[in-house]
Every structure is written in structure tokens, then in C-alpha cells.
Amino acid sequence: GCAAPRTQGDHSQMPIAPAVILGNRPAGRIRPELDGLREALRELGNPQSAYPSILIVGTNGKGSTAVMLEAILRAHGLKTGLFTSPHLIRVEERVRLNGVAATQRELSGALALLDAFPDLTYFETVTAAALTLFAEARVDVVVLEAGMGGSWDATRVAGSAVAGLTNVGTDHRRWLGSSRSEIARDKGRALQAAERTVIGADVSGEIRDALGVPGAVAARSIVSCDDIGGGQVRLGWGGVDISLPMPLPGKFQYDNLQLAVALALQAVAMGWVTALDPGTVRGCLKGLTWPGRLSRHLVADREVLVDCAHNLEAARALADHLAGLDSRYNLLFSCLSDKPVDAMAALLCPHVGKVAVCQLEDERAMPLERLIEAFPGAIATGSPREGLDALRDPVVAAGSLRLAGALLALSQEVNA
């Protein structure tokens, strides 16, 4: 079977923290084989076959789409599992049962089952643990956010019957291919097993051809999604027409919302859920939060606009957002060493005032000297906190999920 064992004996004893258990796993971003992961899941009784799932692939917007989709399905009475990555503060954030992050004990129990498979990478191990926990919890449906790419992404092993693609950008070229078409081909391989595939608004015809998924339908052909001003959005599908406050800030979230509703409609078509109720959709999206995506947080008694913009396309979306604001923000920036920092700086600098760059605690962090080169005249600081202290209000922080996580860890509101 695939049920995770319950901790025996003294329940007051804290389990070993998931982060500690995962600390010994190889970090490999991608490796071109999934056999080891498939074998581990076979040994665990193939937990991923205990429930239907929806896989969301793409460069940007996967997490936002996933969190909106999961909220819609849960509000319609389904018991849900949600798997997202990476986490901002704690690894448990990646695995949610009915909208609540897994406890340390739950995740540690599932990870312990994988001790027999020491060769699995960090991401493969967390994915297998999540798939196991979802089976143990007897969920009705699971929403999975792909990690990186498609061909060799661990989430592929779920064999999701419904899949969505947000967009295809130019991130992770070293692993996925040098051109957008090559990257699209890679992501397309994760979509090919699905019975129903929906393509987001930001996918051009040329990219659609490269995906190799001829049966895919465009989200906009299923759902209309229009900005009607005043922070309101109008959604329409199958004769239904509703308006509601836009759940997440940023113009780019309209495409993600449209895709999320289109994927929920595929779940209806598959018979996993009854027809979507307009009032329920409106109600569950109101007040939705997704930290680190143009979200505001109180950090060291300062309100900071935190955005994970960690690649070229996300930097462009952030620059567009900043251009439309009434006040000029000062920028706190840091990123990992594989990012196109010069191009990101060129996009952001015209829309911000003072810039501070900071060192991140990560072996893949971009060196401070390189950050200063990209942002001439920037204040160089040794940590996110020092960077924040070096700037006046208002401050926007961007460039990396690691930076967002470091600030949220300092935040007075813990978003787990």
C-alpha cells in the first residue's frame, strides 16, 4: 500500500525536520531519467494512481495559476492536494492538503519512506513524498506545479489527465535548450500524456507548433477574462458572466486566472466536479493570497512590496507594473548566478529610484561584484536586511525567490 506510517511511541518527540532529512539529497536541477523515481513510487504502491491530477507547466505564473485553480476546486467541495515549488521559508509550504501546508510530522513521515532510495534528487524526493501524502489523505484531486521544464520533471510521473501551459520564456537555457522553440518542445513533452490540455494566452502560434500537442485548446476559447477597471475583472464561460475583485495584483495575473478557470472547467468535463457555480468562484477567489508575487509585507516595521521576479519575462512584468504606480519605488535586488542580470537591470532601472543589491545565502547566489556591475551606483550590502536598511520607503524587493523568502522570514506576518 502507499499509506505513510504513523509515528510510533512517544508522540511528544518532534520528528526530524523535513529540511534536515532533505539536506543529504543530491541537488541536481534536472537529470535525464525518471526511472529511479518511478521505481520508488512502484515500491510505495504507486500512490499517484490513487487520485486524478492536473499538471501546470510553464516558465512563469505556474504557482499563481495552481493556487487559484486549487481554491476553485476546493470551494466546490473537493478534497484537494496542492504541490508547488520552490518554497519561500519552509519546505512544508510545497505540500498542501485542503489548502493547509503539511505539518513537519506529516512530511517527515512521508520522506522517511524514501530512505530506501538515496539516489533520488531533492526535488524527486519531495515530489514522491507529496504524491504519497496525497494518497494517504485520500484527496479527490491534486494540482501539481511542474518544477523546471517538462521532459524530465519529476511531476510528470503522476500521468496527469489534465494539463495546462502558462507560457514559454527563456529561463533555464542551460538545461532546457537555447531557443524558445526548443524550450517549448521540452515543456510540451510533459503535456503529451494528458487527455485534455489548455494553453495560456501568452503562447504564440509558433510556440504552440513546437509543443507537439495538436489537441491543445486555448484558454481564451473557453473563458473570457477582461479588466473592467477599479481592480475588477469580468469572467465569462458557457453563458455565465461574473465580475469580481482581481484576486492577485499585476496585469500578468489575468492570463493566470483565465487559465485556472479554464482548467477547472476541464475538471468538470472529466466528471471530477459538478458545474462551476459563479458565486462559489467569486467567493473563493476573493481575498486569495500568494506571498512573494507583488505582495505587501511588514518586514522590520517597513512595508515592502515583495516580488519573486527571477527571470527576464518576470522582470519585464514587474517593470510594467512599477511604471503604472503613482510613487517611485526604491529597489532591493539580488539573484542567482544563472540569471540574465544585465537585461533584468536594464528593464527595472528606468522605473525605480535608488537601488541596493545584497548578497544571498545560497551557493548559487550571484556575487556582489557582478550585481554592482549590472546596477552601477547601487549600494552594496551583505544581506537582505542590510539592503532594506540602506533604502528609504517605498521599497520593492525582486530578483529571486531566495530574496523573497529571506524577507518573509524577517516579516512579522508568517505566510506558511
Side-chain angles (χ1 to χ4, degrees):
C2 51
R6 287 298 178 191
T7 313
Q8 300 296 309
D10 180 8
H11 281 260
S12 64
Q13 259 192 316
M14 274 304 286
I16 300 170
V20 175
I21 298 173
L22 287 161
N24 300 321
R25 293 284 176 173
R29 305 296 296 277
I30 282 186
R31 60 173 174 185
E33 60 109 347
L34 291 168
D35 297 349
L37 177 57
R38 288 203 169 103
E39 185 195 336
L41 289 168
R42 252 195 315 275
E43 290 283 320
L44 295 173
N46 281 324
Q48 74 281 9
S49 59
Y51 42 76
S53 62
I54 300 174
L55 176 64
I56 299 170
V57 181
T59 300
N60 291 323
K62 298 187 294 287
S64 299
T65 303
V67 84
M68 289 190 273
L69 171 60
E70 184 274 338
I72 294 169
L73 297 175
R74 177 160 41 94
H76 283 81
L78 294 184
K79 188 173 185 185
T80 59
L82 174 64
F83 180 67
T84 58
S85 63
H87 57 275
L88 292 177
I89 304 174
R90 287 186 296 275
V91 69
E92 295 91 326
E93 294 166 34
R94 298 179 183 222
V95 185
R96 290 173 190 257
L97 294 161
N98 249 3
V100 180
T103 64
Q104 274 204 6
R105 190 179 295 281
E106 285 169 332
L107 190 52
S108 294
L111 289 169
L113 295 174
L114 295 153
D115 286 349
F117 306 95
D119 295 336
L120 296 183
T121 64
Y122 182 108
F123 188 68
E124 288 169 341
T125 308
V126 182
T127 304
L131 296 174
T132 304
L133 265 183
F134 297 148
E136 188 201 24
R138 299 182 187 280
V139 299
D140 297 314
V141 66
V142 165
V143 177
L144 299 165
E145 177 190 354
M148 191 199 298
S151 299
W152 307 112
D153 194 77
T155 54
R156 255 190 94 174
V157 298
S160 302
V162 174
L165 174 76
T166 56
N167 47 54
V168 176
T170 53
D171 212 8
H172 307 304
R173 285 184 174 187
R174 196 168 122 202
W175 291 278
L176 306 182
S178 56
S179 72
R180 214 179 269 256
S181 293
E182 276 179 50
I183 294 170
R185 253 192 302 281
D186 180 84
K187 292 187 189 301
R189 288 188 194 110
L191 305 171
Q192 285 161 4
E195 291 172 45
R196 293 171 174 273
T197 298
V198 184
I199 305 291
D202 200 21
V203 181
S204 67
E206 174 202 346
I207 295 302
R208 278 191 66 162
D209 293 345
L211 289 172
V213 188
V217 296
R220 62 161 69 94
S221 70
I222 307 169
V223 178
S224 64
C225 181
D226 300 298
D227 177 0
I228 52 174
Q232 297 280 310
V233 59
R234 179 179 288 129
L235 286 172
W237 69 87
V240 171
D241 190 29
I242 57 167
S243 59
L244 64 149
M246 188 60 198
L248 298 170
K251 283 216 165 26
F252 53 90
Q253 292 291 4
Y254 286 85
D255 291 349
N256 298 332
L257 175 60
Q258 184 175 48
L259 180 59
V261 177
L263 288 168
L265 289 166
Q266 301 313 298
V268 173
M270 295 294 287
W272 304 341
V273 62
T274 50
L276 296 188
D277 174 70
T280 303
V281 172
R282 184 192 286 115
C284 73
L285 291 174
K286 200 174 173 183
L288 190 77
T289 59
W290 189 227
R293 283 75 179 179
L294 283 175
S295 56
R296 294 178 182 277
H297 302 271
L298 211 53
V299 181
D301 292 321
R302 311 265 303 278
E303 188 183 87
V304 182
L305 180 61
V306 180
D307 193 56
C308 290
H310 66 289
N311 56 35
L312 195 59
E313 290 77 17
R316 185 172 290 121
L318 175 59
D320 289 347
H321 183 75
L322 293 172
L325 296 180
D326 294 335
S327 38
R328 197 170 178 82
Y329 277 65
N330 296 312
L331 172 68
L332 173 58
F333 186 95
S334 197
C335 65
L336 298 184
S337 56
D338 62 335
K339 302 300 175 183
V341 66
D342 297 310
M344 291 168 79
L347 286 167
L348 293 170
C349 282
H351 304 291
V352 296
K354 271 265 179 227
V355 178
V357 294
C358 65
Q359 190 64 55
L360 291 176
E361 277 188 49
D362 191 293
E363 59 193 24
R364 294 186 296 125
M366 187 162 281
L368 211 46
E369 307 75 60
R370 182 72 188 85
L371 290 167
I372 297 161
E373 219 174 89
F375 291 92
I379 307 162
T381 65
S383 71
R385 176 65 198 266
E386 286 174 30
L388 180 58
D389 289 346
L391 294 170
R392 288 189 173 165
D393 291 338
V395 173
V396 58
S400 173
L401 286 113
R402 302 295 187 289
L403 176 59
L407 291 170
L408 290 183
L410 294 169
S411 171
Q412 280 136 350
E413 324 139 32
V414 177
N415 291 281

